Amino acid sequence: MFNEFFSRQDLLLIKPAVLLALFGCGILLTDLLHERRHKYLNAVTALLGLGFTGVQLALIQRAMSAAGYSEVSGFSGGLVVDGFALYFTWIFLIATAIAILFSVRYLEVENEHHGEYYALMLFSLVGMYFLATAMDLITLFIGLETMALSVYVLAGFLRGDRRSNEAAMKYFLLGAFSSGILAYGFSLLYGLTGSTNLRAVADALVARPSGDPVVYLALITTATGLLFKVAAVPFHQWAPDAYEGAPTSITGFMSTAPKAAAFAFLLRVFLVPLAPLRPAWEGLLVVVCVLTMVVGNLAAISQNNTKRLFAYSSISHVGYMLLGLVAGNETGLKGIAVYLLVYVFMNLGIFTVLVALRRKDIIGDEIEDLSGLFFKNPVSAVFMLIFLLSLAGIPPTAGFLGKYFIFLSLIETRHYVLAVIAVVFVVVALYYYFRLVVMMFMREATDPERLNISPGVAVALAITLAMTLVIGIYPEPFIRLAAGSVLVPFR
Amino acid sequence: MTVPISWYLILSAVLFVMGVAGFLFKRNIITIFMSIELMLNAVNLSFVAFSYVLRQLSGQVFVFFVMVVAAAEAAVGLAIIIVVFRNRESLNVDDIELMKF
């Protein structure tokens, strides 16, 4: 009886999301069976869920390449699995897996080891999957909210901690506010074009005479909502507070997987329905990019809290990535894809070290807590150094590759001034990243206790470091992967 | 005589701007949260108006989903607000400034 509504292909396309949702529900149930000291089994279940989803994704990918399709659509065009969607879904899965690996130790230290944590992570992944694959305004909106609502709760997961409460509240209020603005933009787009399908919206916008003020209102509200979600200046105020107050493991998660999902969302909307309006938004985006780089980098200089510093650093990285969209050619879009992949590994690497620093009485998120790390635990200090070099974009590491493609695309499209500004701010970024290096290598350790590296943290460190170096030294396969993910701008 | 669509859209825009203004200028968390709901209802109104004019159902379907999202947001949001209130006994956003802006 379902055959009238769903084809086999439709079911195949939502299988990854269904698996994630089922595993999330499963964790909620099996959590009740685990004793307090066996709560790490929830993490194992979550990783198993991610593994099954990965297999499912690989099967879809193989079926597509066997049939020679570059994209498969389902649900009457509402969902599209193409190279772009697959690439981003892989990023979400990998980022979440690494975040789960280092979460186990963090939650044990905090004594807040509940199964809901992992379930919420998987539920937010369901939302991310739909953000990457949706081709319809309704599906995009629901995907966004599924992701965001789970992450609001995760940000406030430490119920007794006032900073965590505050982070959740600010994140929630500003997130809901930006969703409201975005929904208003969507309603205007629907009214202007008479369709919620992204491609039909683009078609109808092409046919419309230019200069209609309602079109600009729709563009501005939609763009504001999107820029809020990626935390671009001037819509970034929520990010430092949410990042600082949230549990450290969630800050690491929030700054990678949901950020990549917000980027997938932004790229999809800017490159499909809003592509005909490119002349109108390009100038706007240039201003946002420059502001984001300036404010992100300059504000990071004066921070004394490591998590807040990395919040501003992540804002500045958003500025670099958006530059790829300003350039808008294939190199630029490929650059964004490479940059996000690399950013996920280096940023999660940093947060793995920060999680390892946390102990019962030491929060580990003031810059001073890093002092003398090299003498206490040389390995993690050297790892941290490599991640910081990569974030700054120094050649042998992966971070260089992301910046390289972005700068190349700017030069190819003759945005010389933007390229110069971007390079100048790389130097500024070096300054504040090296403040951390000075702390680690040239200060005495303030407290002598050794770091406690759990197996999960060790695996997370190994993966992130290996990827940061491998992508930097042997980039060809990753560039090819990213090239396969480039979304062709509408017309 | 039927009411022209522009009236609905103007009403929706006014409601939306009131929601934004409430969000920016009110200091009580619950009121701020209600302002967000007002914004979502403005969105609903414009969807319904458009869907009537376009003789399509997808706008009204969107309204259902916006309502679902608003309900889910209320559940999560009020839970967060209750936790905040328990830990500080205040619902004024100016008191919630442990982290500098």
Side-chain angles (χ1 to χ4, degrees):
Chain A
M1 123 190 207
F2 282 123
N3 290 344
E4 291 171 40
F5 303 110
F6 304 122
S7 67
R8 285 176 70 94
Q9 190 171 314
D10 293 343
L11 292 176
L12 181 71
L13 294 190
I14 54 162
K15 244 185 205 168
V18 171
L19 271 174
L20 288 168
L22 285 178
F23 266 91
C25 297
I27 290 172
L28 290 178
L29 291 175
T30 54
D31 178 45
L32 303 171
L33 306 174
H34 301 316
E35 285 173 51
R36 266 187 99 73
R37 60 201 164 81
H38 289 148
K39 290 288 185 190
Y40 68 90
L41 289 171
N42 290 321
V44 176
T45 319
L47 287 174
L48 208 63
L50 293 181
F52 275 107
T53 313
V55 169
Q56 189 57 46
L57 213 56
L59 287 176
I60 294 178
Q61 217 160 0
R62 209 177 62 178
M64 277 170 67
S65 63
Y69 295 144
S70 64
E71 64 166 64
V72 186
S73 68
F75 295 96
S76 338
L79 278 189
V80 168
V81 173
D82 48 10
F84 175 83
L86 287 168
Y87 182 85
F88 273 92
T89 311
W90 279 117
I91 291 187
F92 308 151
L93 287 178
I94 294 167
T96 311
I98 297 172
I100 288 174
L101 281 175
F102 63 63
S103 293
V104 176
R105 177 180 182 277
Y106 184 83
L107 293 175
E108 270 164 10
V109 172
E110 291 291 343
N111 206 11
E112 287 276 2
H113 215 163
H114 307 297
E116 291 86 348
Y117 180 94
Y118 303 106
L120 284 166
M121 273 183 152
L122 296 194
F123 292 147
S124 76
L125 257 179
V126 174
M128 292 180 214
Y129 178 74
F130 284 117
L131 276 181
T133 52
M135 253 303 173
D136 192 281
L137 294 177
I138 301 178
T139 324
L140 274 175
F141 188 66
I142 297 297
L144 175 73
E145 288 301 314
T146 312
M147 174 187 88
L149 285 170
S150 315
V151 184
Y152 300 148
V153 180
L154 285 173
F157 203 75
L158 305 178
R159 274 175 306 170
D161 180 32
R162 293 170 66 171
R163 294 207 303 173
S164 180
N165 300 160
E166 192 175 322
M169 202 201 75
K170 286 179 175 166
Y171 190 22
F172 166 73
L173 286 179
L174 285 158
F177 178 63
S178 61
S179 299
I181 297 178
L182 190 71
Y184 192 70
F186 281 0
S187 81
L188 292 179
L189 280 179
Y190 167 68
L192 286 166
T193 59
S195 173
T196 55
N197 187 285
L198 299 190
R199 286 185 180 134
V201 168
D203 276 327
L205 283 177
V206 170
R208 271 191 94 81
S210 61
D212 186 343
V214 183
V215 174
Y216 291 116
L217 187 60
L219 170 66
I220 298 242
T221 43
T222 312
T224 306
L226 290 169
L227 292 173
F228 246 115
K229 295 294 174 198
V230 294
V233 179
F235 312 110
H236 67 291
Q237 286 94 341
W238 59 270
D241 287 345
Y243 283 27
E244 183 186 342
T248 310
S249 54
I250 286 305
T251 312
F253 175 66
M254 263 163 64
S255 62
T256 50
K259 177 150 268 172
F263 248 96
F265 182 27
L266 181 139
L267 288 175
R268 187 74 92 179
V269 174
F270 270 105
L271 293 178
V272 183
L274 296 182
L277 305 175
R278 186 172 178 97
W281 55 255
E282 202 176 338
L284 209 76
L285 205 61
V286 169
V287 177
V288 169
C289 280
V290 173
L291 275 178
T292 308
M293 284 188 295
V294 172
V295 174
N297 282 311
L298 293 186
I301 291 176
S302 60
Q303 299 306 322
N304 284 321
N305 180 297
T306 328
K307 276 153 83 180
R308 212 173 169 85
L309 189 150
F310 283 111
Y312 281 110
S313 122
S314 98
I315 290 171
S316 72
H317 284 287
V318 166
Y320 290 117
M321 287 184 244
L322 286 177
L323 282 176
L325 185 57
V326 169
N329 59 359
E330 209 199 321
T331 323
L333 300 178
K334 191 167 74 180
I336 298 179
V338 174
Y339 205 123
L340 269 170
L341 179 73
V342 166
Y343 176 76
V344 160
F345 287 117
M346 55 199 187
N347 217 41
L348 281 171
I350 297 267
F351 277 95
T352 316
V353 177
L354 291 185
V355 164
L357 279 175
R358 175 125 197 178
R359 284 204 314 278
K360 259 266 152 310
D361 43 345
I362 291 218
I363 298 177
D365 60 1
E366 292 300 319
I367 285 190
E368 275 78 37
D369 294 338
L370 281 172
S371 61
L373 185 64
F374 180 67
F375 307 106
K376 276 195 292 189
N377 191 324
V379 178
S380 61
V382 170
F383 277 34
M384 188 85 172
L385 174 68
I386 293 170
F387 295 133
L388 287 171
L389 287 174
S390 180
L391 279 172
I394 304 294
T397 56
F400 170 71
L401 193 69
K403 290 209 168 65
Y404 168 76
F405 279 111
I406 299 285
F407 293 162
L408 185 66
S409 72
L410 285 176
I411 289 165
E412 279 174 3
T413 51
R414 298 170 185 279
H415 289 93
Y416 299 119
V417 181
L418 278 179
V420 171
I421 297 175
V423 172
V424 167
F425 278 103
V426 170
V427 181
V428 177
L430 259 180
Y431 169 75
Y432 59 78
Y433 290 135
F434 269 80
R435 270 181 70 207
L436 299 179
V437 176
V438 168
M439 263 309 165
M440 290 189 300
F441 287 86
M442 296 177 189
R443 295 285 167 84
E444 297 268 305
T446 42
D447 81 311
E449 199 166 330
R450 298 169 59 96
L451 251 65
N452 173 11
I453 307 267
S454 74
V457 171
V459 174
L461 270 180
I463 296 172
T464 48
L465 183 86
M467 293 307 287
T468 309
L469 289 177
V470 167
I471 299 177
I473 293 164
Y474 182 57
E476 277 83 5
F478 300 96
I479 295 174
R480 220 177 309 124
L481 276 179
S485 82
V486 168
L487 195 61
V488 183
F490 186 84
R491 229 155 277 184
Chain B
M1 176 195 145
T2 53
V3 182
I5 171 136
S6 54
W7 291 21
Y8 289 106
L9 295 183
I10 290 168
L11 176 63
S12 148
V14 169
L15 281 175
F16 185 76
V17 171
M18 279 166 65
V20 172
F23 180 85
L24 295 176
F25 300 120
K26 288 289 180 183
R27 305 267 45 107
N28 184 295
I29 302 175
I30 302 278
T31 324
I32 291 176
F33 185 57
M34 282 160 63
S35 307
I36 293 172
E37 298 290 310
L38 190 62
M39 287 166 65
L40 289 177
N41 283 325
V43 170
N44 284 349
L45 182 61
S46 84
F47 265 121
V48 172
F50 279 132
S51 132
Y52 179 76
V53 171
L54 295 164
R55 307 270 163 210
Q56 275 185 356
L57 275 181
S58 49
Q60 304 204 12
V61 172
F62 208 134
V63 170
F64 277 116
F65 283 109
V66 172
M67 284 174 174
V68 169
V69 163
E73 261 176 9
V76 169
L78 290 175
I80 291 174
I81 293 171
I82 287 173
V83 174
V84 169
F85 183 73
R86 270 196 194 145
N87 285 338
R88 336 173 160 247
E89 314 256 304
S90 162
L91 279 180
N92 191 323
V93 274
D94 293 328
D95 295 342
I96 301 173
E97 43 171 16
L98 218 52
M99 291 175 289
K100 63 175 184 226
F101 236 125

